[in-house]
Amino acid sequence: MLRYVKQKYADNFLHIKDVVEILSRVGERYFDKDFQQTACALTHRTLLAIVPFFAMMFAIARGFNVQNFLLDQLTQRFASQRDFIVRAVSFVDSYLEHTTDGVFIGVGIVALIVTLYFLLNAVERSFNTIWDCPERTFARKFTDYTSILFWVPVLMIAAFGISVWIDSGIRSFFLLPNISTIAEIALRVLNFAIQVVVFTLLMKYMPNTNVRLRYALFSGVVCSISFELLQMLFSFSLYVSSYNAVYGSFAYIPLFLLWVQFSWLICLVGAQLASAAQAQFHK
């Protein structure tokens, strides 16, 4: 019995030691790899690519006649960035309405795709630096990035549709006075689960190396929790911030840039956490 207790405490001590070493490695690499500068660079790339990405997503949505539904879902999911999303979508609508000339359409589509490819390449390079692995070949980049650019908008629209379908199904199936609370909780759980899947896929497949699913999933959960806290923080800051007094009607721009930078920091730290955990338990 005493031997069992000693072994149990020894195992717990080893687990605590592993956690401390992982967190220590993440902290060291945070400054060695200069995550702040990398997040700033990715923020700049994102600002250039956000309108092209919305243009591609809303072009697909218009094909299914769900563009208004998509806008409503985006403004609900990212309520803290509602003003920026509405302004970006207005740019997209203007672009799609005035693309009547064939040459202009061709050049515009190429420019949009190239901008998005540059963003994905920058993200991959950042993740590969964290994992200390080489970049993909040009052929693999072309096939992988093309798949991402096609499937991400489709899956986002499908995820939004499934969420609304489940929400309406719960409300119509149950006849309870507190159904709104039940539906809201179920919808929040579903959205969090989808968010975990997105972060897990990012952690597993963006680096050009073999990332074990358990560590990608662990990092995905941590990133999802951190992202939810970030959303709450920025939603709260809308009520107490003095940005409107300084920037006026353009206050949503610095808030959006800060939100994007912190979001990329969460992704970079999450990738480093997965890398450190895999290195610790698979030496």
Side-chain angles (χ1 to χ4, degrees):
M1 181 65 182
L2 182 60
R3 182 179 180 183
Y4 171 76
V5 173
K6 289 182 177 180
Q7 183 64 35
K8 184 177 180 180
Y9 276 104
D11 292 340
N12 290 336
F13 175 76
L14 289 176
H15 290 317
I16 295 174
K17 183 180 179 182
D18 290 334
V19 171
V20 171
E21 289 185 6
I22 290 172
L23 294 178
S24 176
R25 186 176 302 178
V26 171
E28 291 176 359
R29 296 294 291 269
Y30 179 89
F31 295 101
D32 292 343
K33 298 296 183 180
D34 201 356
F35 284 0
Q36 285 284 354
Q37 183 175 355
T38 304
C40 289
L42 291 175
T43 300
H44 174 259
R45 294 282 189 184
T46 304
L47 187 62
L48 294 176
I50 190 69
V51 173
F53 177 73
F54 278 177
M56 182 173 296
M57 188 162 57
F58 275 88
I60 296 175
R62 284 190 174 189
F64 297 97
N65 197 26
V66 293
Q67 62 273 16
N68 294 330
F69 164 77
L70 178 60
L71 178 59
D72 291 339
Q73 290 299 307
L74 285 173
T75 52
Q76 289 178 18
R77 301 297 174 83
F78 306 102
S80 60
Q81 308 303 321
R82 178 186 179 89
D83 292 338
F84 184 89
I85 292 174
V86 172
R87 183 58 62 91
V89 171
S90 67
F91 293 152
V92 171
D93 290 337
S94 177
Y95 169 78
L96 294 177
E97 289 176 0
H98 293 85
T99 52
T100 56
D101 183 66
V103 176
F104 180 71
I105 293 177
V107 175
I109 291 177
V110 170
L112 297 182
I113 293 177
V114 168
T115 303
L116 293 172
Y117 267 70
F118 282 153
L119 173 61
L120 291 175
N121 187 54
V123 175
E124 184 199 346
R125 191 182 302 115
S126 302
F127 276 57
N128 289 338
T129 301
I130 291 173
W131 282 89
D132 294 324
C133 60
E135 293 188 21
R136 290 174 171 85
T137 61
F138 178 79
R140 277 203 61 196
K141 285 183 179 181
F142 180 79
T143 56
D144 292 349
Y145 294 177
T146 302
S147 299
I148 291 173
L149 294 180
F150 174 77
W151 282 110
V152 167
V154 174
L155 292 177
M156 285 185 65
I157 296 172
F160 291 155
I162 292 173
S163 298
V164 174
W165 176 71
I166 292 178
D167 183 29
S168 61
I170 293 175
R171 294 178 186 276
S172 61
F173 185 77
F174 295 99
L175 298 177
L176 298 174
N178 59 341
I179 187 58
S180 59
T181 303
I182 298 175
E184 184 178 353
I185 293 175
L187 198 59
R188 283 182 177 273
V189 173
L190 176 64
N191 292 336
F192 183 78
I194 293 174
Q195 199 166 269
V196 169
V197 171
V198 171
F199 277 112
T200 300
L201 293 176
L202 178 67
M203 298 301 160
K204 180 169 177 58
Y205 293 109
M206 184 54 71
N208 187 29
T209 187
N210 182 25
V211 182
R212 294 178 179 267
L213 181 59
R214 67 182 70 175
Y215 304 117
L217 178 60
F218 169 67
S219 178
V221 172
V222 174
C223 289
S224 297
I225 295 173
S226 302
F227 188 73
E228 285 296 322
L229 294 175
L230 180 67
Q231 289 281 80
M232 294 172 56
L233 176 64
F234 271 79
S235 297
F236 177 73
S237 68
L238 292 178
Y239 300 99
V240 300
S241 176
S242 60
Y243 276 96
N244 289 329
V246 178
Y247 292 98
S249 60
F250 294 98
Y252 63 87
I253 296 178
L255 286 175
F256 175 76
L257 293 177
L258 285 174
W259 179 78
V260 172
Q261 182 174 345
F262 281 116
S263 298
W264 280 122
L265 272 177
I266 290 173
C267 293
L268 295 174
V269 173
Q272 185 59 67
L273 184 63
S275 176
Q278 183 165 312
Q280 179 68 25
F281 294 108
H282 291 84
K283 297 180 180 179

